[in-house]
Amino acid sequence: MHPNSDRERARILELEEAARALDPDKGERDRLMRAAHGFAQHLLSDISKKPAYSHDKSAVEEIRKLGADDGPHPIEQLIARFDESVVRPGLLPSHPGHLAYIPGGGLYASSLADYLAAVTNEYAGVRFVGPGSVEMEDLILDWMARVVGFPATADGNLASGGSIASLTAIVAAREAAGLRARDFDRAVVYATPHIHQCLHKAIRVAGMGETARRDIPVDEGFRMCPRSLSELVAADRAQGLRPWLVLGSAGTADTGAIDPLDRIAEICRREGLWFHVDAAYGGFFALLDEFRPRLAGLERADSLVLDPHKSMFLPYGTGAVLVRNRDALQDAHAYYAAYLQDTVESEGGGRSPAAVSPELTKHFRALRVWLPLLLHGEEPFRACLREKLELTKYFHGEVEKLGFELGPEPDLTVVTFRWVPESGSANAFNQALVEETHRDGRVFMSSTTVKGKFMLRMAALAFRTHLDTIDLALAVLREALERLQAHPERWRPTVAAARRTG
Ligand SMILES: *Cc1c(COP(=O)(O)O)cnc(C)c1O
């Protein structure tokens, strides 16, 4: 042996000893797991008795104080930091009282799936190395395609969320239309003003910020008016422009409005336009036979986006895109690299997820969909969606009884409403009202502006939201209302000023 090699080996073994800290042994794994599991048990037991929202965000700065380069720290200390600085301040999204925006989920079974995905670190980007994880993703995509009524020949991808799924679809739509940079300022996109902003973002990120956009008028329920769409397409053609893409909504984020998808699909077919449907919020309601007619036409889209981290109650980090024409999706996303050459030739089983998405390496998302779906079966998912529709109707009726003015009739699980005070600015009153409910914190509702009116907004979609949560939300509203009526200076600056000076 070379005289240096003993010293060399000793140095390597020293490094190994230090590196082994990254690979805890069985006993240590047990100890770490008990700490994490203990925290989860503590959080989830009696979660509804904890606040849904905390105004006090002062503990957040402790994250910086602890720093990132000053470990090791004991797991108990780190979990306590996580609890105080992350879980408690602001919104607790896994709380039943999360009634704001579009609530997310956090199914327990998915947390276990994420644990197993991370422990095995299965590779979900390329079929050759991760045949099972890719097969599982394909199975989930086939299941979703059946749910929305897409043909078996459709293709898709599990993405990080609705935004990246939308980008994936928009790029496919661009390639399918054969649009090149020189065409962009003649290409026209049609949508209502209520389409999710992530679609405008996707168009810009796809390099197509120069496309013309047409705002399609809506009916009293904020649903696209198909006749106006036809007229605008005809006018654009007459101008020599190139109508390209229609963006429909199966549930807008603002009010949950569902566009008349069937009639829009008909226009798109007749005019040769790509029809994309944003079903991030409403798509999974197609699991309900009685709701399917409300989504008629969804199955005629060229592409659509679903957000399992919303209406399938998964933890954040899973969106899905489905595209009817599988070639369009591959034309937009497939690439080749020499260092991956041995992954290509044996792809008898079909394309890899990396060939239909901007991502190569990605989180093994299919497992967090598959495990809860097969563990629980479809039925509890249906019941949970149905329950949310019923809770929405119930809430709608009850806020009306309390004397609130209501926004449009809900298509899905969002109710918008406002209080009209006897005098003074209704907008100021309702802004103060939503802030009053945030200070209370037992539930968390948000607000929106509809036709210049400041409206409160209740969205029932968190899987832990049940009848007692809705009753609590009504109590919180009633009490907040009483406080504001007893203290007009909280919403009328002139009254506040008069009290200060008087
Ligand atoms: C949430 C949402 C999106 C965006 O999806 P992300 O998962 O947040 O990226 C798009 N459209 C609608 C209707 C949504 O509710």
Side-chain angles (χ1 to χ4, degrees):
M1 266 206 175
H2 193 275
N4 273 344
S5 76
D6 278 350
R7 244 188 298 145
E8 203 174 345
R9 289 173 61 86
R11 204 169 54 240
I12 292 173
L13 289 173
E14 246 171 65
L15 291 171
E16 175 179 317
E17 182 60 26
R20 276 186 187 278
L22 296 178
D23 193 11
D25 65 15
K26 184 162 182 293
E28 182 64 4
R29 286 198 299 272
D30 264 340
R31 211 182 64 71
L32 294 172
M33 183 53 119
R34 264 201 306 278
H37 185 58
F39 167 78
Q41 289 292 54
H42 182 72
L43 177 76
L44 296 181
S45 312
D46 293 330
I47 189 169
S48 57
K49 301 215 174 74
K50 297 167 176 125
Y53 180 81
S54 169
H55 231 48
D56 180 3
K57 297 174 183 171
S58 54
V60 171
E61 61 195 43
E62 298 298 324
I63 296 171
R64 291 250 157 225
K65 287 192 193 147
L66 188 61
D69 51 4
D70 178 32
H73 300 280
I75 184 91
E76 292 76 15
Q77 183 197 356
L78 298 176
I79 289 179
R81 178 54 43 237
F82 167 64
D83 185 20
E84 282 165 32
S85 298
V86 179
V87 180
R88 290 168 196 256
L91 169 66
L92 180 55
S94 50
H95 194 282
H98 177 14
L99 305 171
Y101 321 118
I102 305 295
L107 289 182
Y108 189 70
S110 289
S111 77
L112 299 181
D114 277 5
Y115 172 68
L116 298 174
V119 163
T120 59
N121 204 23
E122 277 294 334
Y123 196 80
V126 175
R127 190 181 298 272
F128 177 67
V129 287
S133 57
V134 171
E135 192 61 28
M136 197 175 268
E137 173 161 342
D138 285 352
L139 173 86
I140 292 300
L141 291 165
D142 287 347
W143 172 77
M144 288 178 185
R146 274 200 307 282
V147 169
V148 300
F150 256 35
T153 50
D155 202 356
N157 191 252
L158 292 181
S160 58
S163 300
I164 297 299
S166 299
L167 174 64
T168 308
I170 294 301
V171 175
R174 183 191 70 199
E175 295 304 293
L179 291 169
R180 295 291 167 263
R182 62 175 176 274
D183 309 316
F184 290 173
D185 59 359
R186 287 176 48 245
V188 193
V189 180
Y190 304 84
T192 76
H194 304 280
I195 194 75
H196 197 276
Q197 71 277 8
C198 79
L199 280 154
H200 290 296
K201 192 184 202 174
I203 291 168
R204 193 177 65 201
V205 174
M208 305 184 74
E210 294 160 305
T211 53
R213 312 290 160 88
R214 299 284 176 258
D215 270 350
I216 313 297
V218 292
D219 68 12
E220 71 291 342
F222 301 102
R223 306 174 200 101
M224 186 187 291
C225 171
R227 183 195 297 252
S228 303
L229 171 64
S230 280
E231 288 166 4
L232 282 164
V233 170
D236 285 332
R237 283 217 202 283
Q239 296 256 339
L241 296 174
R242 194 167 159 185
W244 162 51
L245 174 67
V246 178
L247 304 170
S249 292
T252 59
D254 222 12
T255 63
I258 301 173
D259 288 330
L261 304 174
D262 222 11
R263 294 182 60 199
I264 301 170
E266 192 52 41
I267 295 167
C268 290
R269 194 193 51 78
R270 200 172 63 224
E271 298 284 345
L273 307 177
W274 184 283
F275 183 28
H276 175 82
V277 178
D278 179 1
Y281 168 23
F284 284 111
F285 285 85
L287 278 164
L288 309 180
D289 286 339
E290 73 276 18
F291 200 87
R292 280 219 55 106
R294 310 278 298 272
L295 294 167
L298 184 60
E299 73 288 351
R300 299 175 69 185
D302 292 294
S303 56
L304 63 86
V305 160
L306 299 162
D307 247 352
H309 63 202
K310 288 174 182 155
S311 24
M312 257 192 94
F313 322 115
L314 260 54
Y316 291 132
T318 308
V321 58
L322 295 172
V323 175
R324 172 178 303 279
N325 173 355
R326 54 173 57 226
D327 292 341
L329 193 57
Q330 285 202 37
D331 289 350
H333 296 286
Y335 268 88
Y336 175 78
Y339 85 100
L340 295 175
Q341 63 192 11
D342 53 1
T343 70
V344 178
E345 51 231 47
S346 46
E347 286 216 316
R351 57 94 192 103
S352 285
V356 288
S357 138
E359 293 181 289
L360 174 57
T361 304
K362 66 175 186 176
H363 177 61
F364 177 18
R365 297 174 186 122
L367 192 63
R368 58 193 347 238
V369 192
W370 182 83
L371 192 68
L373 190 57
L374 277 83
L375 182 69
H376 303 304
E378 274 184 8
E379 212 39 54
F381 287 90
R382 288 205 183 88
C384 201
L385 290 169
R386 262 187 202 115
E387 179 197 25
K388 302 306 169 272
L389 289 166
E390 293 295 328
L391 289 174
T392 307
K393 265 191 234 150
Y394 172 72
F395 181 87
H396 190 264
E398 293 299 309
V399 281
E400 188 165 32
K401 279 188 216 158
L402 286 177
F404 283 91
E405 179 186 289
L406 289 160
E409 196 72 22
D411 278 346
L412 282 163
T413 61
V414 171
V415 179
T416 53
F417 55 100
R418 66 171 195 156
W419 189 262
V420 183
E422 276 167 23
S423 64
S425 154
N427 282 2
F429 186 92
N430 286 284
Q431 179 155 10
L433 186 59
V434 75
E435 284 164 11
E436 207 55 48
T437 65
H438 289 173
R439 264 191 294 278
D440 179 303
R442 283 173 292 169
V443 298
F444 184 65
M445 287 176 277
S446 56
S447 68
T448 184
T449 299
V450 176
K451 292 186 180 159
K453 293 179 183 170
F454 190 102
M455 307 287 287
L456 273 73
R457 202 176 153 285
M458 190 291 296
L461 198 65
F463 68 103
R464 293 194 173 100
T465 299
H466 302 303
L467 190 55
D468 59 348
T469 324
I470 298 299
D471 283 335
L472 180 62
L474 291 163
V476 166
L477 273 174
R478 237 178 359 245
E479 291 167 28
L481 196 56
E482 279 162 16
R483 281 198 299 279
L484 278 191
Q485 285 169 333
H487 298 279
E489 75 279 6
R490 290 196 187 173
W491 65 280
R492 292 175 76 169
T494 48
V495 176
R499 291 206 173 174
R500 269 200 306 276
T501 54

